[in-house]
Amino acid sequence: MNAVRNAIEKLYKGICTVQIWMEVENPVTHVSSFQEVPLLTNQKCRLSFEKQMTTTNTVGPAVIAQTTKLFIAPELDIPAGSKITVTQEGRTLDYAKSGEPAIYSNHQEILLEPFKRYA
């Protein structure tokens, strides 16, 4: 592992699990049903948060939005629509991948949104 990647991964304070919604056949009854299936488990990662405040010319309070970004190893393939459960700083939250990742040689950055349901 190169020095830059090693330095980036020292900043990882979280652990994540990636699950997908897929059809699974029961081996006994041969009946298929959709279930959450783990794709990746116990992957080191880091969540980053950025607050964005927007104002308009109308009367009323400013709108505050938060952008959540996941930093994780570049070789991991996380499909769109996956459920990503991250535990960091003693909190566990569920997210969904909201777009294509920015992949660099030493890490990838994935914008996340709160998980609501599988698409």
Side-chain angles (χ1 to χ4, degrees):
M1 186 179 315
N2 68 42
V4 173
R5 181 166 177 177
N6 194 29
I8 290 171
E9 290 186 354
K10 283 185 179 182
L11 298 173
Y12 291 178
K13 302 294 181 200
I15 297 290
C16 74
T17 298
V18 177
Q19 297 181 25
I20 58 174
W21 188 251
M22 66 180 292
E23 192 170 15
V24 177
E25 182 180 311
N26 183 312
V28 176
T29 64
H30 301 288
V31 174
S32 295
S33 64
F34 283 89
Q35 300 176 13
E36 279 187 348
V37 176
L39 182 65
L40 302 168
T41 57
N42 296 320
Q43 297 295 313
K44 288 185 171 188
C45 63
R46 180 180 182 96
L47 285 178
S48 173
F49 304 97
E50 179 181 333
K51 290 196 190 250
Q52 300 169 339
M53 192 150 87
T54 59
T55 59
T56 61
N57 292 335
T58 61
V59 178
V63 176
I64 299 174
Q66 178 173 279
T67 301
T68 305
K69 193 182 293 185
L70 179 72
F71 290 79
I72 197 162
E75 66 274 2
L76 300 176
D77 184 24
I78 299 175
S82 300
K83 179 179 180 181
I84 303 167
T85 303
V86 181
T87 300
Q88 180 174 297
E89 304 293 340
R91 295 185 68 200
T92 300
L93 298 167
D94 292 329
Y95 295 97
K97 177 179 167 183
S98 65
E100 290 301 313
I103 300 177
Y104 303 98
S105 58
N106 298 303
H107 73 286
Q108 66 176 304
E109 300 173 13
I110 303 171
L111 290 177
L112 301 176
E113 58 189 33
F115 181 81
K116 294 177 185 141
R117 62 180 176 81
Y118 287 100

